[in-house]
């Protein structure tokens, strides 16, 4: 699996903006997922995941958790998932003087 999503930077005083959920294929072995985030401009972001099946429950009622290290960051970073969540998304957090975009690319190993 390879997926890329982009979210615009959000200015202070506004609500956070989230990408659509990227559903993960949980069955390949190994199921390692690389996460790459590129910031252009001034932005702040958090990578989030859920164990909920977003295809069945939609966007309401989804339990959301933050990635262990990719939380409230303002620079381009990378990380990974050794164990698969059901879905992953990019959250753009409000920041003063926000401009530009945040882009997340996921690459999954396996069969």
């Amino acid at each position: 699996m390879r997926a890329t999503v982009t979210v615009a930077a959000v200015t202070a005083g506004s609500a956070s903006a989230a990408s659509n959920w990227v559903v993960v294929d949980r069955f390949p072995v190994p199921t390692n997922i690389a996460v790459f985030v590129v910031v252009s401009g001034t932005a702040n972001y958090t990578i989030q995941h859920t164990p909920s099946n977003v295809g069945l429950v939609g966007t309401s009622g989804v339990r959301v958790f933050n990635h262990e290290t990719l939380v409230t960051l303002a620079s381009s970073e990378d990380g990974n998932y050794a164990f698969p969540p059901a879905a992953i998304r990019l959250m753009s957090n409000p920041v003063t003087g926000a401009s530009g975009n945040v882009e997340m690319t996921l690459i999954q190993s396996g069969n």
Side-chain angles (χ1 to χ4, degrees), residues 6 11 19 28 37-38 41 44 56 63 69 76 79 99-100 104-105 108-109:
T6 303
T11 59
S19 71
V37 183
V38 177
N44 185 287
L56 292 178
R63 294 182 182 206
T69 59
S76 298
S99 65
M104 174 184 74
T105 299
Q108 182 176 5
S109 65

Side-chain angles (χ1 to χ4, degrees), residues 4-82:
T4 301
V5 295
T6 303
V7 177
V10 179
T11 59
S14 300
S16 297
S19 71
N20 290 330
W21 287 102
V22 177
V23 177
V24 172
D25 182 352
R26 295 177 286 170
F27 300 105
V29 178
T31 191
N32 306 330
I33 302 167
V35 181
F36 303 93
V37 183
V38 177
V39 175
S40 63
T42 303
N44 185 287
Y45 66 90
T46 296
I47 302 301
Q48 298 181 320
H49 55 272
T50 183
S52 303
N53 184 336
V54 296
L56 292 178
V57 299
T59 56
S60 62
V62 172
R63 294 182 182 206
V64 178
F65 300 90
N66 291 335
H67 186 275
E68 291 178 346
T69 59
L70 300 174
V71 179
T72 60
L73 297 172
S75 61
S76 298
E77 300 287 343
D78 63 5
N80 65 69
Y81 286 95

